Amino acid sequence: MKNDVLIDDQKKKSLTVTNLIWMGFTVVWGFGNVVNNYANQGLAVITSWIFIMALYFIPYSLMVGELGSTFKEGQSGLSYWIKQTMGPLLAYLSGWTYWVVHIPYLAQKPQNLMVAGSWAIFRNPKMVKSLNPIVLQTLVLIIFLLFVLLAANGIKSIKVLGSIAGTASFVMGILFILLMLAAPALRGVEVASPNMTSIKTYLPNFNLHYLTTISMLVFAVGGCEKISPYVNDTQDAGKNFPKAMIIMALMVTVSAILGSVAMGMMFDTTNVANDLKMNGAYYAFEKLGQYYGIGPSLVIIYALTNFAGQAAALVMSIDAPLKLLLSEADAKYVPNFLRKINDKKVPVGGYKLTTILVSILIIIPALGIGNSNELYNWLLDLNSIVMPMRYMWVFAAYFALKHYLNEKQGVEYKFTKSKSFGKIISGWCFAFTAFACILGMIPKEGEPFTSQWNFKLILNILTPVVLLGLGLILPSIARKEQAKNN
């Protein structure tokens, strides 16, 4: 009787394959991934999606599953995996990386809010495009500081609203694909891209420009480590977790391919607008409204839901990664000023450092980048360079797991039992990510070796070096503090 109760209780708590698929899909995927990568590669991105999903995303997801299953007692995820496999110092550095790569992300979010607000109010991007970069970034800084205050006061309602809006934006992305694919048959819409039936249209040109865009693909499919804690709540995880991850990867692949085809039907792949990254999603819903005779309703709905989702993401990205860093903080590596927490349980020292770093990254680019659209594109490209650097710690942790703990007992799910294959596949993913990040540093816009192109290149190199390098300096400050106290 007791065993029956335990089994029933486990069933109540366990996640089904379907639950896990949708959790992973919504964490990883978004309509912006389709727009940004189509803007970079046109319809050739379809071949790139197939490659990146098969040789990178699927093994990445399955490695995350084994790490989560092996270290099921760890609540902080990545930092805990590193601590158990590679020691406390590298665990601190992985936590620092996870936090600090959000600095460029935070620097761009206010821009996204302004773009969404412009479309919601004026139904066009003129509020942002017409601004001088200095004026734009000053407004961006003001918006960011306001959201720091919101985050510091623990505003929860915006997070709830953002969750609803995020789901709505996700649904809108799926809706775009369905409506656009049906538009030629239902509404007699002409396809914008020529030669869509030719295989050559979908073959990438493997030149330097193409190689610099790979980081955006890696950026698009990252983040599945967020679902690792749920591997132990999955029914028959050894069988169902890899099944769910493969199905989820196939769903992402189908969405990416069909979304790219829909973009090609709407926007000429041979003449991609230079502001497609900033405004492509809004142009898409504006055109859908015209095709189906419903005016600007779709673009306004998308702009409003996107605004709420971006606002919530900004608040959570100020707060959550910092608390994750400090939750496992070792006094040997993190100085007292960074660990200081006030009565509201707000890490005020971390908030101050966040504000300083983001403010610098908001203002400095405006001094050398000529217009608001280029500034937006550059910050998005910078995110694609910096954000995937945290994924490299996942692959390092998996390599160390196979090297040191491959025979650990009681692991419910394993991607592979082979120590050699595990080390090879994690080494491949690590090297590929590093390759994408390094080549992504080469600016994609402007004439090479002009002053503005050089300015972007210097910022692309210096930003990750400074952000990651700061994490190497803090342990020495912490040691001096400890020595002084002792």
Side-chain angles (χ1 to χ4, degrees):
M1 183 68 178
K2 186 177 179 181
N3 288 338
D4 291 339
V5 172
L6 289 174
I7 290 169
D8 288 340
D9 186 56
Q10 184 179 352
K11 284 182 179 178
K12 289 177 184 177
K13 293 182 180 179
S14 292
L15 295 168
T16 65
V17 172
T18 304
N19 297 147
L20 204 60
I21 289 169
W22 282 108
M23 285 169 61
F25 189 58
T26 52
V27 163
V28 171
W29 198 240
F31 185 47
N33 295 328
V34 174
V35 176
N36 295 332
N37 285 286
Y38 181 82
N40 276 339
Q41 298 186 15
L43 283 170
V45 75
I46 290 174
T47 302
S48 301
W49 281 128
I50 295 171
F51 169 83
I52 205 83
M53 297 299 176
L55 298 183
Y56 185 82
F57 181 55
I58 291 177
Y60 173 17
S61 303
L62 298 179
M63 279 186 262
V64 163
E66 183 172 344
L67 286 163
S69 183
T70 303
F71 304 113
K72 60 184 71 177
E73 68 279 6
Q75 297 299 311
S76 60
L78 181 57
S79 293
Y80 186 81
W81 303 341
I82 296 291
K83 187 175 184 179
Q84 298 303 308
T85 55
M86 302 169 73
L89 176 59
L90 291 178
Y92 152 72
L93 290 175
S94 69
W96 173 267
T97 304
Y98 189 89
W99 169 69
V100 85
V101 297
H102 284 80
I103 297 300
Y105 183 80
L106 292 173
Q108 192 189 25
K109 278 297 169 188
Q111 281 189 358
N112 290 336
L113 280 171
M114 291 182 68
V115 174
S118 181
W119 278 96
I121 297 168
F122 302 109
R123 301 179 211 163
N124 61 55
K126 68 178 182 181
M127 188 172 79
V128 177
K129 290 185 74 173
S130 62
L131 292 176
N132 176 280
I134 298 292
V135 176
L136 172 65
Q137 292 304 88
T138 301
L139 293 173
V140 164
L141 179 59
I142 292 170
I143 293 170
F144 172 72
L145 294 176
L146 289 174
F147 272 85
V148 170
L149 293 175
L150 283 175
N153 283 283
I155 303 298
K156 295 181 179 179
S157 57
I158 196 171
K159 297 180 182 180
V160 175
L161 178 62
S163 178
I164 297 170
T167 303
S169 294
F170 173 79
V171 171
M172 292 289 285
I174 301 297
L175 185 65
F176 163 76
I177 294 173
L178 296 175
L179 291 179
M180 188 58 228
L181 293 177
L186 295 181
R187 308 298 296 177
V189 174
E190 292 186 8
V191 174
S193 295
N195 303 320
M196 286 195 68
T197 57
S198 172
I199 294 177
K200 291 182 179 179
T201 304
Y202 304 95
L203 297 179
N205 184 7
F206 293 99
N207 53 20
L208 182 61
H209 172 77
Y210 174 81
L211 296 176
T212 65
T213 64
I214 293 175
S215 62
M216 191 68 75
L217 291 162
V218 174
F219 180 36
V221 298
C224 62
E225 65 274 6
K226 293 176 184 176
I227 63 172
S228 62
Y230 302 105
V231 66
N232 303 302
D233 298 322
T234 305
Q235 297 173 5
D236 191 7
K239 176 183 177 182
N240 288 335
F241 186 84
K243 180 181 178 181
M245 290 300 98
I246 291 171
I247 294 172
M248 183 264 287
L250 291 173
M251 287 173 60
V252 170
T253 305
V254 170
S255 297
I257 291 173
L258 293 181
S260 301
V261 170
M263 288 292 290
M265 293 169 66
M266 182 175 279
F267 303 102
D268 187 352
T269 188
T270 62
N271 187 26
V272 176
N274 64 359
D275 70 334
L276 202 66
K277 290 179 185 176
M278 180 192 285
N279 298 300
Y282 303 99
Y283 289 148
F285 285 104
E286 182 182 47
K287 283 177 175 285
L288 277 182
Q290 294 169 1
Y291 294 162
Y292 286 90
I294 53 177
S297 55
L298 287 177
V299 72
I300 292 172
I301 293 170
Y302 180 77
L304 290 172
T305 56
N306 199 32
F307 183 92
Q310 298 287 348
L314 181 51
V315 171
M316 288 186 282
S317 297
I318 290 170
D319 189 65
L322 183 61
K323 286 184 176 176
L324 187 65
L325 167 66
L326 299 179
S327 67
E328 294 282 328
D330 191 320
K332 292 189 296 183
Y333 308 119
V334 182
N336 290 330
F337 79 87
L338 196 57
R339 291 185 288 117
K340 185 179 178 181
I341 297 175
N342 67 10
D343 296 337
K344 295 181 180 180
K345 296 185 179 181
V346 173
V348 289
Y351 270 42
K352 289 177 182 177
L353 182 58
T354 301
T355 302
I356 292 169
L357 293 176
V358 173
S359 299
I360 292 170
L361 197 53
I362 285 173
I363 295 301
I364 288 181
L367 303 177
I369 296 179
N371 62 65
S372 59
N373 183 62
E374 281 199 36
L375 193 57
Y376 182 96
N377 289 348
W378 172 77
L379 264 172
L380 182 61
D381 290 338
L382 181 66
N383 272 284
S384 77
I385 297 164
V386 176
M387 193 66 80
M389 290 180 178
R390 66 184 170 122
Y391 312 154
M392 294 166 68
W393 284 105
V394 175
F395 307 132
Y398 192 79
F399 186 95
L401 171 68
K402 304 314 285 186
H403 186 72
Y404 296 115
L405 299 171
N406 191 46
E407 304 305 321
K408 185 176 178 179
Q409 300 299 311
V411 179
E412 191 173 357
Y413 162 68
K414 283 193 175 185
F415 167 36
T416 176
K417 294 180 181 179
S418 169
K419 177 186 285 191
S420 298
F421 180 72
K423 290 164 72 173
I424 289 170
I425 196 69
S426 58
W428 147 255
C429 289
F430 184 97
F432 182 75
T433 308
F435 172 79
C437 291
I438 292 169
L439 282 180
M441 293 178 181
I442 300 172
K444 299 165 187 61
E445 294 182 325
E447 290 295 321
F449 308 114
T450 59
S451 59
Q452 188 163 289
W453 190 92
N454 290 337
F455 183 73
K456 292 178 186 176
L457 178 63
I458 291 169
L459 286 180
N460 287 347
I461 296 171
L462 282 182
T463 300
V465 169
V466 170
L467 293 179
L468 296 177
L470 187 59
L472 297 174
I473 296 171
L474 292 182
S476 63
I477 298 174
R479 283 195 296 269
K480 288 179 181 179
E481 285 181 347
Q482 287 185 316
K484 184 178 180 181
N485 292 336
N486 291 335

